[in-house]
Structure formats: structure tokens, C-alpha cells
Amino acid sequence: MRTRPNVLAGFGSLVWLLLVGLPLYVMLIATFQSRTDYAANGPLGFPEDFTLDNYVNDLNKGFGQYFLNTVIVTVSVVGIVLLLVPPLSYAIVRSRGRTTTAVFRLFLLGLAIPSQAVIVPMFYVISQAGLYDNLIGVILPTAAFAMPVCALILTGVMRDITPDLYEAMAIDGASSRRIFFRLVVPLSRSGLSTVVVFSALQAWNGFLFPLVLTQSAETKVITMGLYDFQTEHGVDIPGLLAAVVLSMLPILLVYLFARRALVQGLMGVGGK
């Protein structure tokens, strides 16, 4: 029996496609136009002559250095989070002590403290430590503010691992270290993927800490480098959008490869 096509669903899908695709078209098509063509044709106009000058000019203006700095910050933040949060979450899940529970609750207070509320004391601490205008001074607070959410995600994922599996490995004489690496880590892959994507997004899109804790061109990141396209005479929109495209590609690739694990980890079913 043939089913009738759902015209309403098809129309809704077409509308949704237009809503999603139109902003992407406006952004991408502008990157292949000169400022003159963009001003003449408008944001929806098709370029008469395709050009890659916007991308070349972005790289010549130092955008490559900003991109490299952002990669360094992002990789470092993800590395710190992956080094500290999984063992911490494992200790929280397996421990039955009140001290561990109290520490975990205190740790989660970071969820209620916005970075804007502590930026002044953070500036003072970073300056006194000699890390002002240094990428390390951006990496450390960014990782610190990403850790509470990551710990919350991983503890939820690790609690989904049945106690029978822990007991089976303990009966076989496995140490806590072996249980962690042979059992917990493999069954927490979706949670770890979620943590990687979340911490990478926090670091890649970070604005407040680079704004306050850096000042030289050598330590600029992408979010700060986008300011270079705004001058007293106006905004270089094609150049700015080309920079946005360059900045979004790496994190978009990370999301595409880890999107399924990201959704599962946020739903708390990564251990099942």
C-alpha cells in the first residue's frame, strides 16, 4: 500500500532549509566579492567576478598568527580538561566518602559564578603571577571555567556504568588504575567526546579573558583579531566574513565528527 506524501512536512522542511541556508549563503557569497562589488550588489547579490583576495588579505594582516594562537589555547585547554576531569569524575563516582561529595559540590559552585564577576580579581592574580599578555594567562582561567560543566557531564556518564562491571574487574584483581583505563575510559567515550567539544568551543570562542588579559598583537586570538576589520572609515564586511569562515572551519569539523557522541553525552546515556 502506497502512502501519501506528507506535503505539510515537506513544506516545513523547505522553510527550515531556507532559514538555515540563507544566512550561510549570505556569508559565503560575500567572501568571494570585493568591497566595491558587495556595496553595489548587496548582501544577496551574486558576485560578478569571484576573488580569493579577502582570504589572502586576511592572512597577510596577521590572521594566521591569530589562528595559531587560538589553536594553541584550544588544544591546551582541551588537554588540561582531559588530564584532570576524567580522574576527578572517576574518584567522585567511586568514592563513598563525605569529603569527596563536599568537594564535588564545592567544585560545582563554579557553575553559578560567571566569569564577568571574577574578571577583576582574575586580572590581579594573572598580573601578579607574571602571566599578563601571555597565552598561559588565557589558557588557565579558560580551562578552570570549563571544568565544572565537564565534570558534571562525565560523572553522569560514569554513573551509567553498572556496578557489576566494577565488581567483576575487582574480583579479577584489577587495580583502580587498571579499572579506570580498561573499563571506565572505553565506556565513557561519548562523554569524553562531549567534554572535548564543549571545552574546545569555550576556548575557541573565548572573548573576555583574551580581551582583559592580553594586549599585544603577538598574543591576539581570533575573536580579538576580528576587530581589525573595523576602522574609523567603516567595516570591511567581505574581509570580516572571510575571517569568520576561516575561524569556524576547525570547530565545525570537530563538531561534525563528534556530533553523535556529543548528543549522547549530553543526554547522559554515554555509558549504556
Side-chain angles (χ1 to χ4, degrees), residues 100-116:
T100 305
T101 303
V103 171
F104 180 53
R105 290 176 178 175
L106 182 63
F107 189 77
L108 291 182
L109 284 177
L111 295 174
I113 303 176
S115 57
Q116 294 86 348

Side-chain angles (χ1 to χ4, degrees), residues 62-72 204 220 222 246-247 250:
F63 193 80
Q65 181 64 48
Y66 308 155
F67 189 92
L68 177 61
N69 290 340
T70 308
V71 170
I72 293 173
W204 192 270
K220 271 188 177 182
I222 286 177
L246 291 175
S247 65

